[in-house]
């Protein structure tokens, strides 16, 4: 029988298993000996694959931790676009981030990944690069929503860019506070507090 849209193929399941194995192996090694001290060769050996095979799944060591960001950015863009016409840009962007938090699934794993990113300069740089890409991806949807809300006119693109950048800055501030709390704080509540400080 053929596969359906809701049933991943055998190849997809095999690929997901290999990706998960590489990720789990890498995170264990990072925890044991540090990110900088861990090499691609070590990760591949511990995962039981060749370096060449590893590079089929991840282009760099940074991508093992941050590689999903492009897919998550697409998810956020689609979510923002799908919000009801009556939703403000602020509400649409918040909905986008809520979906991303749900997509991560395990809060413990998300905390581990985020803490590693924030504590490791090369990962932080890659994370920042990808987050800037997210802003580019969602900006057209925010601009269109502001225009539909009778915000069209001179300066529309600037205002949309400012709203988008503000939301991302609030998310980053909230995420850092969440990591500092050891994951005990409510991330969504921290975001709302950060945004209220800006808008208030």
């Amino acid at each position: 029988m053929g596969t359906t849209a809701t049933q991943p193929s055998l190849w997809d399941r095999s690929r997901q298993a290999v990706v998960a194995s590489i990720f789990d192996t890498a995170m264990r090694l990072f925890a044991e000996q540090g990110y900088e001290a861990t090499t691609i060769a070590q990760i591949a050996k511990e995962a039981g694959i060749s370096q060449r095979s590893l590079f089929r799944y991840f282009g760099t060591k940074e991508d093992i931790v941050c590689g999903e960001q492009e897919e998550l950015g697409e998810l956020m863009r689609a979510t923002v676009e799908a919000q009801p016409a009556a939703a403000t840009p602020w509400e649409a962007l918040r909905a986008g981030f809520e979906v991303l938090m749900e997509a991560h699934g395990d809060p413990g794993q998300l905390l581990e990944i985020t803490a590693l990113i924030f504590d490791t300069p090369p990962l932080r740089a890659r994370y920042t690069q990808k987050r800037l890409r997210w802003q580019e991806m969602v900006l057209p949807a925010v601009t269109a929503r502001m225009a539909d809300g009778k915000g069209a006119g001179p300066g529309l693109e600037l205002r949309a860019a400012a709203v988008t950048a503000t939301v991302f800055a609030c998310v980053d501030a909230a995420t850092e506070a969440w990591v500092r709390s050891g994951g005990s704080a409510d991330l969504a509540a921290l975001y709302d507090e950060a945004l209220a400080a800006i808008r208030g």
Side-chain angles (χ1 to χ4, degrees):
M1 294 178 62
T3 58
T4 68
T6 58
Q7 295 176 319
S9 66
L10 177 61
W11 185 88
D12 288 331
R13 293 196 299 272
S14 296
R15 186 180 190 283
Q16 291 167 3
V18 174
V19 167
S21 175
I22 294 170
F23 175 81
D24 291 342
T25 299
M27 292 300 289
R28 175 174 58 78
L29 290 173
F30 296 155
E32 291 174 356
Q33 58 191 35
Y35 176 82
E36 298 286 4
T38 302
T39 67
I40 285 288
Q42 287 177 311
I43 296 170
K45 181 179 179 180
E46 289 286 325
I49 61 174
S50 67
Q51 290 187 59
R52 184 173 180 178
S53 294
L54 188 149
F55 283 127
R56 292 192 189 119
Y57 300 97
F58 299 101
T60 65
K61 189 168 68 169
E62 288 86 354
D63 284 337
I64 296 176
V65 182
C66 302
E68 303 189 319
Q69 298 296 319
E70 189 72 13
E71 293 177 15
L72 293 175
E74 287 289 351
L75 176 61
M76 181 180 183
R77 178 194 57 75
T79 302
V80 171
E81 289 181 346
Q83 295 310 297
T88 67
W90 305 103
E91 292 167 340
L93 285 165
R94 190 187 192 285
F97 281 108
E98 286 178 342
V99 167
L100 295 191
M101 285 187 285
E102 293 171 1
H104 277 290
D106 181 2
Q109 186 182 78
L110 176 59
L111 179 63
E112 181 183 13
I113 294 170
T114 307
L116 178 63
I117 289 172
F118 285 0
D119 290 342
T120 310
L123 290 176
R124 186 64 181 261
R126 178 60 64 89
Y127 168 86
T128 299
Q129 180 185 49
K130 288 180 179 289
R131 291 296 279 264
L132 288 173
R133 171 62 182 147
W134 283 15
Q135 292 187 48
E136 294 174 358
M137 292 165 72
V138 302
L139 182 56
V142 175
T143 303
R145 189 169 292 272
M146 292 179 71
D148 290 343
K150 299 181 181 179
L156 170 62
E157 292 185 0
L158 175 61
R159 294 195 301 277
V163 168
T164 304
T166 297
V167 167
F168 274 81
C170 289
V171 168
D172 286 339
T175 303
E176 291 205 45
W178 179 67
V179 170
R180 287 197 302 271
S181 77
S184 62
D186 183 276
L187 181 53
L190 289 171
Y191 167 75
D192 288 337
E193 183 179 347
L195 187 59
I198 295 296
R199 298 189 68 189

